[in-house]
Amino acid sequence: MPKIIGRLKSLKGLNFSHNNLIGYIPSLFGNLNNLEWLDLSFNKLIREIPRQLVDLLWLEVLKLSHNQLIGQIPSGKQFNTFDNDSYIENQGLCGFPLSRMCNSLEAKKPPPLTLQHEDNLEPKNGFGGLVGKLY
């Protein structure tokens, strides 16, 4: 995903669902201080949910379902208000609000060795053919 999106600080809503996106959720999305809804569902996103998203105080709707996300779901602030529907069909996720609890090994498990460092990962089929809605 292009990191430039993290600079769109007045953005209220972001919908990139159903775009067959490959890659990860950039931690820079945590800079979108005015974001009220984020829909990244039905893609092929990997890695963990960035902890920085917890700081999106205006976030009312979060849809990360139907991806390949892993690790513990961040907790605190707005993230404590989202239910199971925000995360379904991400077999590698654990923690509240899911019934699957994380053990200490799962929560700290590194990504597969085939992944590159976040700064160097530029998926070929990611946002190259961007179809989505910016609000």
Side-chain angles (χ1 to χ4, degrees), residues 95-110:
F96 180 82
L98 302 177
S99 58
R100 182 174 179 224
M101 292 289 110
C102 301
N103 63 39
S104 60
L105 292 177
E106 275 181 348
K108 296 179 181 180
K109 189 167 87 173

Side-chain angles (χ1 to χ4, degrees), residues 64-69 84 87-93:
L64 301 177
S65 60
H66 301 275
N67 279 291
Q68 299 166 13
L69 299 170
N84 288 349
Y87 310 104
I88 59 172
E89 296 299 323
N90 282 287
Q91 301 303 321
L93 284 180

